[in-house]
Amino acid sequence: EAGVAQSPRYKIIEKRQSVAFWCNPISGHATLYWYQQILGQGPKLLIQFQNNGVVDDSQLPKDRFSAERLKGVDSTLKIQPAKLEDSAVYLCASSLATGQYEQYFGPGTRLTVT
Amino acid sequence: GENVEQHPSTLSVQEGDSAVIKCTYSDSASNYFPWYKQELGKGPQLIIDIRSNVGEKKDQRIAVTLNKTAKHFSLHITETQPEDSAVYFCAASRGGTYKYIFGTGTRLKVLA
C-alpha cells in the first residue's frame, strides 16, 4: 500500500514570497490533515478536510495561508506572503475517516524562509 | 484550549534498559491517546494508542498506561534497542472534530 506522498521535500524562499505544497493521501482515505511542525515542537493542526469539505481550520492563519482539496483527493497548502516564522516542516496526514482513527503521515516538506 | 505537556524532552538509556515518557493533558473530555514515533527525516508513525475506557495496553516491548483521575498517561519501552532511538510524541483527542493535540516530544537515545 502506497503511503502519503508530499512534494517538494525541501523549499527555500525569501520572506514575502509565496509557496505551495502538494499532498496525495492514501487511496480511500476520506480525511486529510495539514500540520505545521516547528523545530523542537509537536505537530500543530492547521486544517482538516473530510472529503473536500473543511472540518476544522481554527488554527490556520487565514490572512496568509490557504488550502484546498479539490475532488476530495489531492490537496495543496499555500502560503502568501511568507514570513520568517513560517519556517517549519509541513506534514500532511490522512485517515480513513474523521474520528479516532490512525493518522498516516507523509515525510513532510521542510520550508526555510530567509 | 487543550494542552498536552510531555516530559522529559530528552532521555538517554543503555541498551536493554527501560524508558518511560510521561504526558499530562488538561481537557478532561479527552478520550483517546495515541503515541507516535518520528525518525529523522520521516513523518510520525503510530506505535500504540489507548482509549479512556482502558487503563493499560501492551504490544510486545511497548506499553501505555492511563490515569484518568490525574489526567496523565505514560509510554513504557522495555529492553530498549538502538533502533528505538527517535523522537516520541504523545497526543490527546476528544470527540467532535477529534483533533489531535500533540505534546512537545521526547528525544530518546539508546546507547549501545
Side-chain angles (χ1 to χ4, degrees), chain A residues 1-108:
Chain A
E1 177 183 83
V4 176
Q6 289 187 247
S7 68
R9 291 295 311 276
Y10 307 91
K11 190 74 176 179
I12 301 174
I13 62 172
E14 296 181 351
K15 60 184 179 183
R16 292 187 289 273
Q17 287 186 325
S18 63
V19 64
F21 312 126
W22 173 83
C23 173
N24 179 236
I26 292 173
S27 177
H29 280 195
T31 307
L32 185 147
Y33 314 80
W34 282 103
Y35 287 88
Q36 180 191 58
Q37 186 176 22
I38 293 173
L39 187 64
Q41 298 182 20
K44 182 183 83 171
L45 181 69
L46 293 176
I47 189 166
Q48 177 180 340
F49 292 95
Q50 172 77 10
N51 296 312
N52 60 353
V54 175
V55 174
D56 187 331
D57 64 356
S58 58
Q59 297 191 94
L60 186 74
K62 298 180 186 63
D63 58 333
R64 299 184 300 106
F65 286 63
S66 64
E68 60 182 9
R69 191 183 183 198
L70 299 177
K71 301 180 182 179
V73 182
D74 293 4
S75 177
T76 56
L77 176 70
K78 297 179 181 178
I79 307 175
Q80 182 180 11
K83 294 185 176 181
L84 295 176
E85 57 261 36
D86 297 332
S87 294
V89 174
Y90 291 84
L91 294 164
C92 178
S94 69
S95 64
L96 279 172
T98 293
Q100 289 157 354
Y101 297 94
E102 178 175 355
Q103 294 186 21
Y104 295 82
F105 284 82

Side-chain angles (χ1 to χ4, degrees), chain B:
Chain B
E2 168 75 288
N3 183 50
V4 176
E5 294 187 357
Q6 183 172 346
H7 299 281
S9 56
T10 60
L11 179 60
S12 293
V13 299
Q14 289 293 132
E15 182 178 0
D17 287 351
S18 296
V20 180
I21 303 170
K22 299 180 179 180
C23 289
T24 304
Y25 60 98
S26 60
D27 186 351
S28 57
S30 293
N31 58 3
Y32 175 66
F33 308 92
W35 284 89
Y36 280 80
K37 175 183 180 182
Q38 187 172 27
E39 297 179 65
L40 195 62
K42 298 183 179 180
Q45 182 177 15
L46 179 72
I47 55 171
I48 195 167
D49 57 10
I50 191 168
R51 300 184 186 272
S52 59
N53 59 347
V54 175
E56 182 176 2
K57 183 177 179 180
K58 289 184 179 180
D59 183 3
Q60 299 182 7
R61 298 187 295 109
I62 295 174
V64 57
T65 58
L66 171 65
N67 183 326
K68 287 188 295 184
T69 303
K71 291 192 284 188
H72 66 70
F73 55 112
S74 300
L75 177 71
H76 304 253
I77 306 175
T78 58
E79 301 174 16
T80 53
Q81 301 168 3
E83 51 265 38
D84 294 329
S85 296
V87 179
Y88 292 81
F89 291 97
C90 62
S93 169
R94 59 177 293 175
T97 62
Y98 303 98
K99 180 166 63 178
Y100 286 12
I101 305 298
F102 282 89
T104 49
T106 296
R107 182 174 299 278
L108 174 65
K109 295 181 183 178
V110 180
L111 308 172

